[in-house]
Amino acid sequence: MSVIELKNINKEFGTGISRVQVLKNVNFTADRGELSLILGPSGSGKSTFLTIAGGLQTPSSGTVMVEGERLEQYSARERDQLRLNKIGFVLQSYNLLPYLTVREQFELVRKNKKTGNMSADELLTLLKDLGIDQLVNHYSDEMSGGQNQRVAIARALYPNPEIILADEPTAALDSNRVQVVGQLLRQMAIKHNKAIVVVTHDLRLRAYADHIYQLMDGKLTREK
Ligand code: ADP
Ligand code: MG
């Protein structure tokens, strides 16, 4: 059983003359222990795809299954619980709360999910690997885009989710940091047996992927 399975997914926005079909009959599966990379230019539907895969958005038609459960059967509350317990999102907007320091962002995660998170030592190692361990008392607006991006990555990994869905996680990073993040995500897949799905236009991440897909004009095709 695949951890995530998308079957015949269509997504449209708008009606009449303003109607756009962003995803066209998309089929996709993600498995444990693998990093899947979805490449596509800006506007090709990457974020739409990822948010549908994680239940943040519903498709116009088609089925999303997470660990064999159909998401459409879930109530909003059940979907929230599923995300909290199983899915780590790295969103394009970073989604960090402006009034919390880095340390407090992690404390907030711990308040919502009390068990199964990384230990304090594991978290410190992760922050060091990402080069952000000196920033724990900083607020979002006191950090660069790249630093915010790395905090967002650490926050997604901290609860030990089985599934990691990352939207352009390296957009604000220089090549050295891309390597660190690529290796980290790969390690999460291989060592920790997680399912990792990354959507991006960053070709530098190709080297870390088990599977590579192209999203073009709403159609997903497998390349590797
Ligand atoms: P990408 O992440 O690849 O840049 P998106 O998934 O964000 O692409 O967007 C794909 C297309 O869908 C774009 O043309 C965008 O304008 C459109 N779109 C995305 N979300 C909405 C929405 N909520 N309402 C209307 N159009 C949308
Ligand atoms: Mg996007």
Side-chain angles (χ1 to χ4, degrees):
M1 184 186 65
S2 293
V3 177
I4 294 189
E5 190 165 358
L6 272 65
K7 281 190 202 161
N8 303 324
I9 294 294
N10 289 285
K11 182 67 176 177
E12 292 146 22
F13 292 108
T15 52
I17 196 164
S18 68
R19 179 176 170 278
V20 282
Q21 184 162 7
V22 176
L23 297 177
K24 295 175 187 159
N25 214 28
V26 165
N27 290 287
F28 173 79
T29 56
D31 290 300
R32 265 176 233 289
E34 294 183 347
L35 196 161
S36 303
L37 192 66
I38 288 115
L39 294 168
S42 176
S44 60
K46 299 184 298 296
S47 297
T48 305
F49 168 87
L50 197 77
T51 48
I52 286 176
L56 282 175
Q57 223 183 151
T58 53
S60 305
S61 65
T63 311
V64 181
M65 299 180 75
V66 175
E67 295 191 323
E69 304 274 345
R70 292 164 81 107
L71 279 196
E72 75 227 42
Q73 296 175 335
Y74 282 34
S75 65
R77 202 190 134 82
E78 285 170 332
R79 274 204 297 271
D80 285 348
Q81 280 302 315
L82 174 89
R83 279 198 298 274
L84 182 66
N85 291 313
K86 297 201 168 154
I87 302 178
F89 273 103
V90 183
L91 292 175
Q92 231 171 341
S93 54
Y94 311 141
N95 261 33
L96 300 175
L97 294 163
Y99 50 87
L100 297 181
T101 64
V102 170
R103 187 194 307 281
E104 289 163 347
Q105 310 272 351
F106 289 94
E107 283 168 6
L108 181 65
V109 173
R110 205 152 53 232
K111 236 180 235 172
N112 289 314
K113 178 171 177 283
K114 297 194 166 55
T115 57
N117 303 317
M118 284 184 178
S119 68
D121 277 353
E122 287 169 330
L123 177 58
L124 185 60
T125 303
L126 176 64
L127 297 181
K128 281 184 180 159
D129 286 348
L130 288 168
I132 48 175
D133 56 304
Q134 304 292 319
L135 300 174
V136 288
N137 295 317
H138 285 58
Y139 291 92
S140 189
D141 68 356
E142 298 170 335
M143 299 186 291
S144 71
Q147 289 169 336
N148 273 290
Q149 188 149 47
R150 282 173 280 147
V151 171
I153 291 168
R155 196 191 48 176
L157 299 181
Y158 172 62
N160 266 320
E162 292 160 43
I163 301 165
I164 294 161
L165 303 179
D167 196 345
E168 307 273 11
T170 53
L173 304 184
D174 62 36
S175 293
N176 290 336
R177 299 288 186 203
V178 170
Q179 227 172 27
V180 169
V181 169
Q183 278 162 1
L184 188 71
L185 291 174
R186 178 140 193 86
Q187 211 180 30
M188 286 287 156
I190 291 169
K191 269 204 200 155
H192 301 277
N193 205 32
K194 296 178 190 301
I196 318 277
V197 182
V198 178
V199 302
T200 188
H201 62 258
D202 190 345
L203 300 178
R204 297 174 295 183
L205 284 171
R206 291 178 70 97
Y208 306 96
D210 295 295
H211 302 297
I212 300 178
Y213 299 80
Q214 300 280 351
L215 188 58
M216 197 63 97
D217 301 326
K219 291 194 177 137
L220 189 72
T221 49
R222 183 153 163 185
E223 170 193 319
K224 177 187 171 190

